[in-house]
Amino acid sequence: MGVEGTRQTAARVTDFTGCPWHDVKSMLRDVGLRPTRQRMSLGWLLFAKGDRHLTAEMLYEEANNAKVPVSLATVYNTLHQFTEVGLLRQVAVDGSKTYFDTNVSDHHHFYVEDANELVDIPHAEVTVDKLPHAPDGYEIARIDVVVRIKPTRD
Ligand SMILES: [Zn+2]
């Protein structure tokens, strides 16, 4: 009887289709990550608002504002775990700045220097000609183009 009761509750929860919280849980399960409370909270902040580019610090601030009790170290670890399983794509802008992109499809970026903001470039607008040959035993894994932009001066 007890088991049956639990199953009933679980079935009711899965009825909420399209609920971001539920979607994040399935997303984590699909990639083999245990849906811990912290992963769920951070995943919800990351994935519930469409395509986004966030640094660990930006996500940490959002988590604080949303009253999610989490350390910056946990935010870093979670972002890297999400990246390893393919939920996020890492885009390095320069030595000190790494953005995590919720859009993992092939695309390139504008980096708005004054605003520290990363913006998608439609894929068709970038063609990379004359790629170098990868050294023996290696192949090109991915090409990231970051085009740095700044406001024009009048
Ligand atoms: Zn992007």
Side-chain angles (χ1 to χ4, degrees), residues 112-125:
V112 191
E113 289 189 329
D114 290 355
N116 289 336
E117 198 184 341
L118 210 58
V119 182
D120 286 351
I121 302 176
H123 187 60
E125 286 183 21

Side-chain angles (χ1 to χ4, degrees), residues 51-53 89 91 101-103 105 107-109 118-121:
D51 288 346
R52 315 186 66 199
H53 307 91
R89 196 183 127 177
V91 183
D101 195 340
T102 59
N103 176 1
S105 72
H107 65 283
H108 302 295
H109 294 97
L118 210 58
V119 182
D120 286 351
I121 302 176

Side-chain angles (χ1 to χ4, degrees), residues 2-109:
V3 175
E4 197 57 39
T6 311
R7 206 175 288 156
Q8 289 265 331
T9 314
R12 268 237 304 281
V13 171
T14 53
D15 283 343
F16 291 106
T17 47
C19 161
W21 192 259
H22 173 68
D23 291 347
V24 170
K25 194 176 225 172
S26 327
M27 188 187 259
L28 292 175
R29 289 225 166 105
D30 285 349
V31 295
L33 285 177
R34 206 156 52 83
T36 61
R37 188 139 198 97
Q38 287 177 329
R39 284 184 189 142
M40 289 286 292
S41 303
L42 294 176
W44 186 78
L45 288 172
L46 279 165
F47 300 113
K49 298 175 192 167
D51 288 346
R52 315 186 66 199
H53 307 91
L54 289 170
T55 63
E57 289 76 13
M58 286 159 78
L59 181 60
Y60 177 62
E61 202 183 311
E62 280 196 9
N64 271 340
N65 293 340
K67 306 267 187 287
V68 175
V70 75
S71 68
L72 183 56
T74 301
V75 171
Y76 268 109
N77 288 341
T78 306
L79 285 169
H80 286 288
Q81 284 166 353
F82 283 6
T83 303
E84 270 169 37
V85 297
L87 292 177
L88 292 172
R89 196 183 127 177
Q90 213 171 324
V91 183
V93 171
D94 54 39
S96 61
K97 261 208 177 59
T98 295
Y99 283 80
F100 294 86
D101 195 340
T102 59
N103 176 1
V104 294
S105 72
D106 246 342
H107 65 283
H108 302 295
H109 294 97

